[in-house]
Amino acid sequence: EEEEDEEVQSRATTVRGPVPLTPGTWGGCIRLLDPSGSGCTSLDVVELEKNEAALCCCSVRFHSRGESLLAVGTATGLIPRGAKKSQPVAHIILYRVILNGDRLQMLHRTKVEAPVLALAHFQGRLLAGVGGTLRLYEMGKKQLLRKCEYRSLPSVIKTLQTAGDRAYIGDMLHGMHFIRYDTVQDRFVSQANDKTSRCVTCQELIDLNTVAVGDKFGNISILRLPRASDSGGAPANPTNSATRALWESRQDTTPKLELICNYYVGEIVTGMTRAALVAGGAEALIYVTITGRINALLPFGSREDTEFYQQLELNLRMEAERVTGRDPCSYRSYYAPIRHIMDGDLCDAYALLSADQQAKIAEKLDRSVGEIMKKLEDTRNGLL
């Protein structure tokens, strides 16, 4: 009974994370949270080793085990690039959730040669971005077992998502890559890559052939796989080595992703996801920025809505006050021309205009001021 009382008391005590021992070191932990109820309750906190930082995590369900496990990528002694050269020790740690989801139990640690910044479940295995290498792991008794890898990526893997037999990879310098897994030959094949260099910070899969990407220069782009590349992949060297035959062309023949939309936000986009904020509402692309702003990109459901907002935006570029002192179209095209995205902030400026300016724009659109205000409100209510 005394042991049970101590267990209850220890679980009721608020557990905080570790504090770094000295400046320039890490103090990392893995926290298990219960989001149900009025607040977010900490169920368990696993403190990592000295100067060890957790960089990414994901839920994975191996074919050899009938339960979901937690995979965490960590690095010890990691120093930001530019400070000084460092040789961090990186691991992938597997945890099992026990006691009806209240505790974490470590199964094993697997040492890898570079920090892991992205993990994903893939066909009953674990897909990891180990530095610039894409690697597929299987569950082992004492550590993870390598099954397949792809070493032809040009930079460090930052983001990783999977769907079917494809992996969608964003690296730190060269943009997006679509990789297909060939189950017959047990190898990865490059299906398409980005023709524009992007420093990817986040990504979200829209459908099997389309992905939304945010980069560290404040751009949001939507890329799509060309139709000709939908079924197959580009020819690749099965050994992934740098050797080439004398008669082999050095030109990159990999298909390039098509740019569907582009929009300059004005600050670094740190995360994005697809979600409907209200029950029965339209699904939108929600993204957050480094200053804490939460924004949304809402798709139009009809050509009529598209034409209405195009005409409204065109007139507001002339009438609305320019907060940045620049032409709105020029500002939203800071790094690349704006493409197929309406400026919602500019459209909302219609309500701030004088009555004469509102009536002037309404006359050009062949609508009343009330109809335009109601259209703006209906679009906003469709999301919120």
Side-chain angles (χ1 to χ4, degrees), residues 4 37 210 241 256 332:
E4 292 180 358
T210 313
S241 65
K256 302 302 177 182
R332 295 301 181 186

Side-chain angles (χ1 to χ4, degrees), residues 306-317 346-348 350 361-362 365 372 375-376:
T306 305
E307 294 176 351
F308 167 77
Y309 278 101
Q310 280 180 341
Q311 295 298 322
L312 179 61
E313 184 184 22
L314 182 62
N315 287 278
L316 284 171
R317 288 175 185 173
L346 181 61
C347 293
D348 282 339
Y350 179 80
I361 294 177
L365 296 181
I372 296 178
K375 189 72 172 179
L376 291 171

